[in-house]
Amino acid sequence: MFVKTNTTGFSDALTREAEGLESLREALVQVGVEHLRIPQVAEVDQHQLVMTQIVSVAPDDRCLTLLGEGLARLHQQKREHYGWGRDNYIGLSPQPNEYMDSWGQFFVDYRLRYQVSRIADPVIRERFQRVLDQISAALTRWLDSHCEHPSLLHGDLWNGNVLFDQDGPWLIDPAVYQGDREADIAMTEMFGGFGAAFYRAYDSVYPRSKVYATKREIYNLYHYLNHYNLFGAGYLGGCERGMAVVAGL
């Protein structure tokens, strides 16, 4: 078994992570996906999370295909609401949640506004807040009009949070909530992507929308803001680019 210790500073971080893993496991069982797997949690408390140990290998196209197909089938499952029933965490940051019927309102308020409110530099914070104030209604309408239904999202789907063994892919370290499935796909491209086989497989099951390229910039703005708040100025350029996209809608 693998033992993960809590280094976040939040006493319930590992409990929320374990709940996210179980939610993903249940959803994958419901849609009959067997080759996209979730570590089994043996024990969790505020100090440690004990779960399946994965002996990872470099992925080949077969593994990437299994990941793409499995994720697409997960995303095809329609959920009832956007958001999530309790707050959780994304990396080292709190991630506030609430169930809502509007995807656009949820994303603007609980993803973009929240991260902007955490910016330490008052000049940058106030400038970004002005942008959101000006475009929030239009952005909400645009996102609502381009989202088919709520999907269960991994929420933090960069390539460090997917492992592969000889039998295929595993999802780890989720920040789950329910939202536009293309938010998950957008983040896969933020730090290098998963390779062409993954995207071909995903699109063969559940093709991305015609406005995916624009959505990618909007959804990754959340992650750039989070990384800027956590790690500093190296991520400010990504925040500026995303803000320019939303301001231009």
Side-chain angles (χ1 to χ4, degrees), residues 77-137:
Q77 183 188 55
K78 296 181 180 180
R79 314 290 284 200
E80 188 173 355
H81 301 290
Y82 298 102
W84 199 240
R86 66 173 73 203
D87 297 346
N88 53 19
Y89 301 91
I90 181 163
L92 298 174
S93 297
Q95 182 169 258
N97 293 300
E98 182 177 318
Y99 283 129
M100 302 185 74
D101 293 325
S102 167
W103 163 240
Q105 184 180 354
F106 176 82
F107 187 77
V108 170
D109 290 346
Y110 285 84
R111 294 297 178 260
L112 298 185
R113 282 194 189 280
Y114 176 71
Q115 283 293 338
V116 167
S117 76
R118 289 167 57 85
I119 294 175
D121 185 319
V123 174
I124 295 174
R125 183 178 65 247
E126 290 167 13
R127 177 160 58 86
F128 285 177
Q129 284 174 338
R130 285 196 298 272
V131 173
L132 291 181
D133 288 344
Q134 292 167 1
I135 58 85
S136 62

Side-chain angles (χ1 to χ4, degrees), residues 40-216:
Q40 183 72 47
V41 174
E43 177 185 339
V44 63
D45 59 26
Q46 65 180 349
H47 303 295
Q48 65 179 25
L49 172 59
V50 182
M51 56 186 167
T52 308
Q53 181 154 4
I54 302 161
V55 179
S56 61
V57 300
D60 56 17
D61 282 357
R62 180 188 66 86
C63 288
L64 293 171
T65 296
L66 292 173
L67 175 63
E69 292 175 348
L71 191 67
R73 289 174 63 186
L74 172 69
H75 286 164
Q76 283 179 324
Q77 183 188 55
K78 296 181 180 180
R79 314 290 284 200
E80 188 173 355
H81 301 290
Y82 298 102
W84 199 240
R86 66 173 73 203
D87 297 346
N88 53 19
Y89 301 91
I90 181 163
L92 298 174
S93 297
Q95 182 169 258
N97 293 300
E98 182 177 318
Y99 283 129
M100 302 185 74
D101 293 325
S102 167
W103 163 240
Q105 184 180 354
F106 176 82
F107 187 77
V108 170
D109 290 346
Y110 285 84
R111 294 297 178 260
L112 298 185
R113 282 194 189 280
Y114 176 71
Q115 283 293 338
V116 167
S117 76
R118 289 167 57 85
I119 294 175
D121 185 319
V123 174
I124 295 174
R125 183 178 65 247
E126 290 167 13
R127 177 160 58 86
F128 285 177
Q129 284 174 338
R130 285 196 298 272
V131 173
L132 291 181
D133 288 344
Q134 292 167 1
I135 58 85
S136 62
L139 179 57
T140 296
R141 288 193 299 270
W142 192 89
L143 292 175
D144 282 344
S145 69
H146 290 98
C147 181
E148 298 169 86
H149 60 79
S151 299
L152 179 62
L153 307 184
H154 176 282
D156 195 9
L157 196 63
W158 68 290
N159 55 23
N161 284 342
V162 180
L163 299 179
F164 301 87
D165 64 12
Q166 297 293 342
D167 296 319
W170 296 79
L171 298 180
I172 63 170
D173 293 353
V176 298
Y177 64 100
Q178 295 167 176
D180 183 352
R181 48 101 180 202
E182 290 184 314
D184 259 357
I185 304 305
M187 195 184 186
T188 69
E189 296 198 71
M190 190 169 167
F191 296 115
F194 286 106
F198 165 77
Y199 298 99
R200 282 197 303 269
Y202 186 92
D203 288 338
S204 72
V205 176
Y206 198 0
R208 284 169 285 176
S209 69
K210 293 180 180 179
V211 294
Y212 168 73
T214 301
K215 285 205 256 182
R216 179 182 60 209

